[in-house]
Amino acid sequence: MSGTSSITVLVSPDRMLAVVTINAAEAPAGVPVARLAAAIEQAGVRPDPEFLKRLAALETSGENLVSATPVVVARGTPPQQPRAPQLQPVAPPSQDHLPEFQRCKLPIARAGQRLALILTAQPGAAGIDVLGQALPFTPVGRGYELKRGVKVSEDGQWVEATVSGMYRVNADSAEVEAGLSIPADVDLSTGSINFDGDVTIGRNVLDRFEVLATGMVTVQGSVEAATVRAKDLVVERGIVCKDRGRCEATGNIRARHATNADVFAGGDIEIHGEAANCRLTCRGTLRCPSGAISGGVASGFSGVVAGTIGSPAGVRTLVEVGFDGELLDGARREQAEIGRMLARASELRGKTAPLLQHQRNLTAQQKELVTELLFEAEELESSAKQRREKFCACAENTAAAVEFGRCIHAGVIVRWSDVEALIPADIPGPGTLRRVATNGELGVVAVGRSGREFRLKSRAVIGPVRAPGSPAEAAA
Amino acid sequence: MRILLVDDSRTMRNIQKKALGVLGEIEVLEAGDGVEALAVIEGSPGFGLMLIDWNMPNMDGITLVKKIRETDKQTPLIMVTTEAEKARVLEAIKAGVNNYVIKPFTPESLMDKVNATLSKSQAVAA
């Protein structure tokens, strides 16, 4: 504060504002411009151009400055703080369209996914206070940090994931940890998982959640009534689907035990303990060598190996071997469709043949129509050929066998694509069941512990071979 | 290879497109008449083959062939048409088509003509 008794010049503590006050009691007619200018100069304040203009106007008119309130003399300019380059995280895609249980709560990125927008650096500028002194800006660091699993996109505007995994992105850094490891359950806190790579789950996959992965899924606990799809699947405890969930793998599936589970593998299925009341289907070998398969449907294209099959109580157990029922039934339906297609093609060719013999008599429209019919016939024949090849591709594996280590119990049905047998009485193991064709007659032979081969009463399988839908249905 | 199909019948263009699918990696563009075809050629030149119908609205196939041949002597052109009279075939060949497919045709007969035309044109270019 400085000035005379009638003029006071006040500067704010941060020196960003200077005002002048006029003591009306001492100078009721105001103060002359010259005195005012002198007081401001004495205070060291550099007046704003607007204030100087006002003074100049008063000086020209010969008036004094009169004001009952403080008059702003100068305002400082704060420094413009610089900004280092920063990251602005990209909002994850909306999952509003998905049911609650299918939504993923984890920050999971796929390789190539954009994670953040790069905000460019902003330079700083010094400010100036009311006394004319420079106000420097505060220097900033070098900006964001790119950690593992990320890179700047080719256009330099984005940060992208280079691997699939869990990501962490904020204004200062970005990182993707390759792979996905969930230490606890897959539950409401994680949501369902859809991941491009391997997934490890520390505990269980709970009811109604989904785990979909392009790589191997390892569940260190159990899979409950959930859906798991993977390349390979390892369940260190059990698959307990409660007749609702499903586990699928294009490769192999391994589990300690399975109960009321629907399991499909493109390769082998291996159950260490008991498989009870399950639908187990694989295009490789179904192995349960030290355990038991009791109840439900067990299907192995390359064979079925189990310690015990069925149960002393005679629980209904169906063992399918050497064919994929779903494919085979589909193929048989396909065969009928192929027949219809070829018949239609033949009909079209029959219609066009006489027309082709008398082309000269045809109008332009008729000629175009004949071209269309010929093409349709060609398409049908080509499509029928493709379907037939597909049918041949799912040929049955009639050499596949059922091996049992301890016992196959009475009541178990063992079925190949064209023949089946009901086990009439317990057969102690180790033993084997095979399909045989003697003089064109199909049958099933068993070799038990004694090593003696005997033929079981068997019957031909006609029509759809696919077992009923759910394990419960199959057992009924 | 880029192929232009010119025919006022969408069905016929589809048939030709499917039959040409055996050639492997091809890009097929279509036009419904001669005027449209000229616009396509102007906007996107460099076709390896053109299949042209004779009878079309706005500009017929024979006029289109003549227009194309004013500036382009190289691109193989095949006339695909119901016009089967010898005089018509000769007229088309005179106008500059490399081959002639008479409707009705089967996919094989069309592809035989296409392959023959392409082989001949490649041999000439070599």
Side-chain angles (χ1 to χ4, degrees), chain B residues 64-96:
Chain B
L64 173 63
V65 169
K66 286 174 186 169
K67 291 255 183 202
I68 292 169
R69 285 300 182 227
E70 282 174 13
T71 54
D72 173 8
K73 310 282 184 203
Q74 302 297 323
T75 306
L77 305 179
I78 300 177
M79 187 67 90
V80 184
T81 179
T82 54
E83 301 289 349
E85 292 81 22
K86 199 173 176 185
R88 293 294 226 172
V89 177
L90 288 173
E91 187 186 349
I93 289 169
K94 214 168 156 186

mmCIF file of all heavy atoms in Angstrom, chain B residues 64-96:
data_model
loop_
_atom_site.group_PDB
_atom_site.id
_atom_site.type_symbol
_atom_site.label_atom_id
_atom_site.label_comp_id
_atom_site.label_asym_id
_atom_site.label_seq_id
_atom_site.Cartn_x
_atom_site.Cartn_y
_atom_site.Cartn_z
ATOM 1 N N LEU B 64 -21.540 -50.263 -78.695
ATOM 2 C CA LEU B 64 -20.567 -50.169 -77.597
ATOM 3 C C LEU B 64 -19.211 -50.726 -78.041
ATOM 4 O O LEU B 64 -18.168 -50.107 -77.802
ATOM 5 C CB LEU B 64 -21.088 -50.949 -76.377
ATOM 6 C CG LEU B 64 -20.114 -51.080 -75.207
ATOM 7 C CD1 LEU B 64 -19.778 -49.721 -74.612
ATOM 8 C CD2 LEU B 64 -20.687 -51.988 -74.122
ATOM 9 N N VAL B 65 -19.245 -51.875 -78.731
ATOM 10 C CA VAL B 65 -17.984 -52.476 -79.194
ATOM 11 C C VAL B 65 -17.250 -51.499 -80.110
ATOM 12 O O VAL B 65 -16.042 -51.280 -79.970
ATOM 13 C CB VAL B 65 -18.271 -53.817 -79.921
ATOM 14 C CG1 VAL B 65 -17.031 -54.324 -80.635
ATOM 15 C CG2 VAL B 65 -18.766 -54.858 -78.926
ATOM 16 N N LYS B 66 -17.993 -50.885 -81.030
ATOM 17 C CA LYS B 66 -17.363 -49.929 -81.961
ATOM 18 C C LYS B 66 -16.746 -48.761 -81.211
ATOM 19 O O LYS B 66 -15.643 -48.325 -81.499
ATOM 20 C CB LYS B 66 -18.402 -49.434 -82.975
ATOM 21 C CG LYS B 66 -18.758 -50.491 -84.018
ATOM 22 C CD LYS B 66 -19.890 -50.028 -84.910
ATOM 23 C CE LYS B 66 -20.334 -51.143 -85.850
ATOM 24 N NZ LYS B 66 -21.587 -50.819 -86.535
ATOM 25 N N LYS B 67 -17.483 -48.255 -80.233
ATOM 26 C CA LYS B 67 -16.976 -47.118 -79.438
ATOM 27 C C LYS B 67 -15.698 -47.507 -78.702
ATOM 28 O O LYS B 67 -14.748 -46.726 -78.643
ATOM 29 C CB LYS B 67 -18.032 -46.673 -78.410
ATOM 30 C CG LYS B 67 -19.251 -46.036 -79.024
ATOM 31 C CD LYS B 67 -19.213 -44.550 -78.827
ATOM 32 C CE LYS B 67 -20.487 -43.919 -79.392
ATOM 33 N NZ LYS B 67 -20.286 -42.506 -79.698
ATOM 34 N N ILE B 68 -15.721 -48.700 -78.120
ATOM 35 C CA ILE B 68 -14.535 -49.140 -77.373
ATOM 36 C C ILE B 68 -13.342 -49.263 -78.310
ATOM 37 O O ILE B 68 -12.241 -48.806 -78.012
ATOM 38 C CB ILE B 68 -14.806 -50.493 -76.654
ATOM 39 C CG1 ILE B 68 -15.835 -50.310 -75.541
ATOM 40 C CG2 ILE B 68 -13.523 -51.068 -76.072
ATOM 41 C CD1 ILE B 68 -16.374 -51.615 -74.959
ATOM 42 N N ARG B 69 -13.583 -49.858 -79.480
ATOM 43 C CA ARG B 69 -12.488 -50.111 -80.417
ATOM 44 C C ARG B 69 -11.924 -48.827 -81.034
ATOM 45 O O ARG B 69 -10.842 -48.841 -81.611
ATOM 46 C CB ARG B 69 -12.949 -51.066 -81.532
ATOM 47 C CG ARG B 69 -13.068 -52.522 -81.082
ATOM 48 C CD ARG B 69 -11.740 -53.060 -80.587
ATOM 49 N NE ARG B 69 -11.806 -54.463 -80.191
ATOM 50 C CZ ARG B 69 -11.303 -54.942 -79.077
ATOM 51 N NH1 ARG B 69 -10.693 -54.136 -78.207
ATOM 52 N NH2 ARG B 69 -11.367 -56.218 -78.790
ATOM 53 N N GLU B 70 -12.645 -47.706 -80.919
ATOM 54 C CA GLU B 70 -12.104 -46.426 -81.404
ATOM 55 C C GLU B 70 -10.825 -46.072 -80.652
ATOM 56 O O GLU B 70 -9.912 -45.456 -81.192
ATOM 57 C CB GLU B 70 -13.138 -45.313 -81.218
ATOM 58 C CG GLU B 70 -14.238 -45.326 -82.274
ATOM 59 C CD GLU B 70 -15.342 -44.304 -81.972
ATOM 60 O OE1 GLU B 70 -15.116 -43.441 -81.094
ATOM 61 O OE2 GLU B 70 -16.409 -44.399 -82.603
ATOM 62 N N THR B 71 -10.792 -46.436 -79.380
ATOM 63 C CA THR B 71 -9.633 -46.044 -78.572
ATOM 64 C C THR B 71 -8.852 -47.234 -78.028
ATOM 65 O O THR B 71 -7.708 -47.087 -77.623
ATOM 66 C CB THR B 71 -10.094 -45.196 -77.362
ATOM 67 O OG1 THR B 71 -11.086 -45.939 -76.655
ATOM 68 C CG2 THR B 71 -10.651 -43.852 -77.791
ATOM 69 N N ASP B 72 -9.465 -48.382 -77.971
ATOM 70 C CA ASP B 72 -8.819 -49.535 -77.326
ATOM 71 C C ASP B 72 -8.899 -50.748 -78.245
ATOM 72 O O ASP B 72 -9.966 -51.301 -78.459
ATOM 73 C CB ASP B 72 -9.539 -49.808 -75.982
ATOM 74 C CG ASP B 72 -9.051 -51.075 -75.311
ATOM 75 O OD1 ASP B 72 -8.070 -51.667 -75.784
ATOM 76 O OD2 ASP B 72 -9.656 -51.466 -74.298
ATOM 77 N N LYS B 73 -7.740 -51.113 -78.781
ATOM 78 C CA LYS B 73 -7.728 -52.271 -79.699
ATOM 79 C C LYS B 73 -7.333 -53.555 -78.960
ATOM 80 O O LYS B 73 -7.347 -54.632 -79.536
ATOM 81 C CB LYS B 73 -6.709 -52.038 -80.831
ATOM 82 C CG LYS B 73 -6.835 -50.701 -81.540
ATOM 83 C CD LYS B 73 -7.978 -50.707 -82.529
ATOM 84 C CE LYS B 73 -8.014 -49.378 -83.310
ATOM 85 N NZ LYS B 73 -9.332 -49.088 -83.848
ATOM 86 N N GLN B 74 -6.899 -53.423 -77.710
ATOM 87 C CA GLN B 74 -6.273 -54.558 -77.022
ATOM 88 C C GLN B 74 -7.238 -55.411 -76.193
ATOM 89 O O GLN B 74 -7.162 -56.635 -76.215
ATOM 90 C CB GLN B 74 -5.184 -54.029 -76.064
ATOM 91 C CG GLN B 74 -4.106 -53.200 -76.745
ATOM 92 C CD GLN B 74 -3.318 -54.013 -77.774
ATOM 93 O OE1 GLN B 74 -3.061 -55.194 -77.562
ATOM 94 N NE2 GLN B 74 -2.998 -53.392 -78.898
ATOM 95 N N THR B 75 -8.105 -54.742 -75.418
ATOM 96 C CA THR B 75 -8.922 -55.493 -74.452
ATOM 97 C C THR B 75 -9.772 -56.559 -75.153
ATOM 98 O O THR B 75 -10.501 -56.248 -76.104
ATOM 99 C CB THR B 75 -9.858 -54.531 -73.689
ATOM 100 O OG1 THR B 75 -9.065 -53.507 -73.134
ATOM 101 C CG2 THR B 75 -10.607 -55.258 -72.577
ATOM 102 N N PRO B 76 -9.676 -57.815 -74.706
ATOM 103 C CA PRO B 76 -10.508 -58.856 -75.325
ATOM 104 C C PRO B 76 -11.995 -58.599 -75.052
ATOM 105 O O PRO B 76 -12.384 -58.340 -73.917
ATOM 106 C CB PRO B 76 -10.049 -60.142 -74.638
ATOM 107 C CG PRO B 76 -8.787 -59.820 -73.935
ATOM 108 C CD PRO B 76 -8.796 -58.362 -73.663
ATOM 109 N N LEU B 77 -12.799 -58.665 -76.098
ATOM 110 C CA LEU B 77 -14.245 -58.446 -75.970
ATOM 111 C C LEU B 77 -14.970 -59.712 -76.433
ATOM 112 O O LEU B 77 -14.626 -60.270 -77.477
ATOM 113 C CB LEU B 77 -14.698 -57.275 -76.844
ATOM 114 C CG LEU B 77 -13.993 -55.931 -76.660
ATOM 115 C CD1 LEU B 77 -14.587 -54.907 -77.639
ATOM 116 C CD2 LEU B 77 -14.135 -55.422 -75.245
ATOM 117 N N ILE B 78 -15.939 -60.153 -75.638
ATOM 118 C CA ILE B 78 -16.742 -61.312 -76.035
ATOM 119 C C ILE B 78 -18.202 -60.880 -76.098
ATOM 120 O O ILE B 78 -18.728 -60.299 -75.147
ATOM 121 C CB ILE B 78 -16.592 -62.478 -75.027
ATOM 122 C CG1 ILE B 78 -15.123 -62.924 -74.958
ATOM 123 C CG2 ILE B 78 -17.487 -63.647 -75.409
ATOM 124 C CD1 ILE B 78 -14.858 -64.024 -73.946
ATOM 125 N N MET B 79 -18.826 -61.147 -77.219
ATOM 126 C CA MET B 79 -20.244 -60.835 -77.363
ATOM 127 C C MET B 79 -21.041 -62.042 -76.865
ATOM 128 O O MET B 79 -20.819 -63.163 -77.328
ATOM 129 C CB MET B 79 -20.544 -60.554 -78.841
ATOM 130 C CG MET B 79 -21.924 -60.055 -79.120
ATOM 131 S SD MET B 79 -22.219 -58.410 -78.436
ATOM 132 C CE MET B 79 -21.729 -57.364 -79.792
ATOM 133 N N VAL B 80 -21.918 -61.788 -75.897
ATOM 134 C CA VAL B 80 -22.750 -62.873 -75.344
ATOM 135 C C VAL B 80 -24.191 -62.536 -75.697
ATOM 136 O O VAL B 80 -24.758 -61.588 -75.144
ATOM 137 C CB VAL B 80 -22.586 -62.951 -73.813
ATOM 138 C CG1 VAL B 80 -23.364 -64.133 -73.257
ATOM 139 C CG2 VAL B 80 -21.130 -63.077 -73.425
ATOM 140 N N THR B 81 -24.775 -63.272 -76.634
ATOM 141 C CA THR B 81 -26.047 -62.808 -77.172
ATOM 142 C C THR B 81 -26.937 -63.929 -77.696
ATOM 143 O O THR B 81 -26.477 -65.043 -77.891
ATOM 144 C CB THR B 81 -25.773 -61.791 -78.308
ATOM 145 O OG1 THR B 81 -26.986 -61.356 -78.857
ATOM 146 C CG2 THR B 81 -24.923 -62.406 -79.396
ATOM 147 N N THR B 82 -28.183 -63.565 -77.899
ATOM 148 C CA THR B 82 -29.126 -64.517 -78.499
ATOM 149 C C THR B 82 -29.067 -64.448 -80.032
ATOM 150 O O THR B 82 -29.672 -65.274 -80.712
ATOM 151 C CB THR B 82 -30.568 -64.180 -78.051
ATOM 152 O OG1 THR B 82 -30.819 -62.825 -78.358
ATOM 153 C CG2 THR B 82 -30.758 -64.417 -76.579
ATOM 154 N N GLU B 83 -28.363 -63.461 -80.542
ATOM 155 C CA GLU B 83 -28.272 -63.287 -82.001
ATOM 156 C C GLU B 83 -27.393 -64.383 -82.598
ATOM 157 O O GLU B 83 -26.171 -64.371 -82.412
ATOM 158 C CB GLU B 83 -27.655 -61.913 -82.329
ATOM 159 C CG GLU B 83 -28.432 -60.731 -81.779
ATOM 160 C CD GLU B 83 -29.752 -60.499 -82.507
ATOM 161 O OE1 GLU B 83 -29.958 -61.133 -83.569
ATOM 162 O OE2 GLU B 83 -30.568 -59.703 -82.021
ATOM 163 N N ALA B 84 -28.026 -65.327 -83.292
ATOM 164 C CA ALA B 84 -27.271 -66.493 -83.735
ATOM 165 C C ALA B 84 -27.016 -66.536 -85.245
ATOM 166 O O ALA B 84 -26.271 -67.386 -85.728
ATOM 167 C CB ALA B 84 -27.997 -67.755 -83.308
ATOM 168 N N GLU B 85 -27.608 -65.588 -85.984
ATOM 169 C CA GLU B 85 -27.446 -65.648 -87.430
ATOM 170 C C GLU B 85 -25.994 -65.354 -87.818
ATOM 171 O O GLU B 85 -25.335 -64.535 -87.178
ATOM 172 C CB GLU B 85 -28.361 -64.622 -88.136
ATOM 173 C CG GLU B 85 -29.818 -64.931 -88.033
ATOM 174 C CD GLU B 85 -30.415 -64.499 -86.709
ATOM 175 O OE1 GLU B 85 -29.815 -63.606 -86.061
ATOM 176 O OE2 GLU B 85 -31.434 -65.066 -86.276
ATOM 177 N N LYS B 86 -25.578 -66.024 -88.877
ATOM 178 C CA LYS B 86 -24.187 -65.894 -89.307
ATOM 179 C C LYS B 86 -23.825 -64.428 -89.603
ATOM 180 O O LYS B 86 -22.751 -63.944 -89.263
ATOM 181 C CB LYS B 86 -23.964 -66.756 -90.557
ATOM 182 C CG LYS B 86 -22.517 -67.055 -90.826
ATOM 183 C CD LYS B 86 -22.397 -68.038 -91.979
ATOM 184 C CE LYS B 86 -20.927 -68.271 -92.336
ATOM 185 N NZ LYS B 86 -20.810 -69.131 -93.511
ATOM 186 N N ALA B 87 -24.784 -63.744 -90.248
ATOM 187 C CA ALA B 87 -24.531 -62.351 -90.624
ATOM 188 C C ALA B 87 -24.267 -61.492 -89.382
ATOM 189 O O ALA B 87 -23.391 -60.617 -89.380
ATOM 190 C CB ALA B 87 -25.736 -61.799 -91.372
ATOM 191 N N ARG B 88 -25.005 -61.802 -88.319
ATOM 192 C CA ARG B 88 -24.843 -61.040 -87.076
ATOM 193 C C ARG B 88 -23.473 -61.316 -86.445
ATOM 194 O O ARG B 88 -22.799 -60.420 -85.982
ATOM 195 C CB ARG B 88 -25.942 -61.423 -86.073
ATOM 196 C CG ARG B 88 -27.315 -61.000 -86.525
ATOM 197 C CD ARG B 88 -27.430 -59.509 -86.555
ATOM 198 N NE ARG B 88 -28.650 -59.059 -85.941
ATOM 199 C CZ ARG B 88 -28.936 -57.790 -85.696
ATOM 200 N NH1 ARG B 88 -28.077 -56.853 -86.016
ATOM 201 N NH2 ARG B 88 -30.072 -57.445 -85.151
ATOM 202 N N VAL B 89 -23.114 -62.608 -86.486
ATOM 203 C CA VAL B 89 -21.811 -62.980 -85.922
ATOM 204 C C VAL B 89 -20.705 -62.248 -86.665
ATOM 205 O O VAL B 89 -19.794 -61.667 -86.057
ATOM 206 C CB VAL B 89 -21.599 -64.518 -85.999
ATOM 207 C CG1 VAL B 89 -20.217 -64.900 -85.491
ATOM 208 C CG2 VAL B 89 -22.673 -65.246 -85.221
ATOM 209 N N LEU B 90 -20.808 -62.248 -87.990
ATOM 210 C CA LEU B 90 -19.793 -61.579 -88.806
ATOM 211 C C LEU B 90 -19.753 -60.077 -88.520
ATOM 212 O O LEU B 90 -18.681 -59.468 -88.449
ATOM 213 C CB LEU B 90 -20.077 -61.819 -90.300
ATOM 214 C CG LEU B 90 -19.788 -63.247 -90.775
ATOM 215 C CD1 LEU B 90 -20.256 -63.429 -92.213
ATOM 216 C CD2 LEU B 90 -18.307 -63.555 -90.659
ATOM 217 N N GLU B 91 -20.933 -59.521 -88.339
ATOM 218 C CA GLU B 91 -21.018 -58.077 -88.046
ATOM 219 C C GLU B 91 -20.280 -57.754 -86.748
ATOM 220 O O GLU B 91 -19.522 -56.774 -86.659
ATOM 221 C CB GLU B 91 -22.495 -57.672 -87.931
ATOM 222 C CG GLU B 91 -22.692 -56.171 -87.806
ATOM 223 C CD GLU B 91 -24.160 -55.806 -87.546
ATOM 224 O OE1 GLU B 91 -25.028 -56.690 -87.680
ATOM 225 O OE2 GLU B 91 -24.405 -54.640 -87.190
ATOM 226 N N ALA B 92 -20.501 -58.627 -85.770
ATOM 227 C CA ALA B 92 -19.860 -58.396 -84.471
ATOM 228 C C ALA B 92 -18.350 -58.536 -84.581
ATOM 229 O O ALA B 92 -17.593 -57.721 -84.030
ATOM 230 C CB ALA B 92 -20.402 -59.383 -83.447
ATOM 231 N N ILE B 93 -17.912 -59.554 -85.301
ATOM 232 C CA ILE B 93 -16.467 -59.766 -85.443
ATOM 233 C C ILE B 93 -15.840 -58.581 -86.195
ATOM 234 O O ILE B 93 -14.768 -58.103 -85.850
ATOM 235 C CB ILE B 93 -16.190 -61.112 -86.152
ATOM 236 C CG1 ILE B 93 -16.553 -62.247 -85.167
ATOM 237 C CG2 ILE B 93 -14.738 -61.238 -86.581
ATOM 238 C CD1 ILE B 93 -16.578 -63.605 -85.773
ATOM 239 N N LYS B 94 -16.578 -58.122 -87.191
ATOM 240 C CA LYS B 94 -16.102 -56.969 -87.965
ATOM 241 C C LYS B 94 -15.985 -55.723 -87.064
ATOM 242 O O LYS B 94 -15.065 -54.919 -87.195
ATOM 243 C CB LYS B 94 -17.103 -56.692 -89.094
ATOM 244 C CG LYS B 94 -16.461 -56.189 -90.362
ATOM 245 C CD LYS B 94 -17.499 -56.234 -91.462
ATOM 246 C CE LYS B 94 -17.183 -55.256 -92.558
ATOM 247 N NZ LYS B 94 -18.257 -55.203 -93.549
ATOM 248 N N ALA B 95 -16.927 -55.621 -86.140
ATOM 249 C CA ALA B 95 -16.909 -54.450 -85.241
ATOM 250 C C ALA B 95 -15.751 -54.529 -84.240
ATOM 251 O O ALA B 95 -15.345 -53.513 -83.679
ATOM 252 C CB ALA B 95 -18.229 -54.361 -84.482
ATOM 253 N N GLY B 96 -15.229 -55.748 -84.029
ATOM 254 C CA GLY B 96 -14.051 -55.840 -83.165
ATOM 255 C C GLY B 96 -14.143 -56.790 -81.991
ATOM 256 O O GLY B 96 -13.290 -56.741 -81.108
#
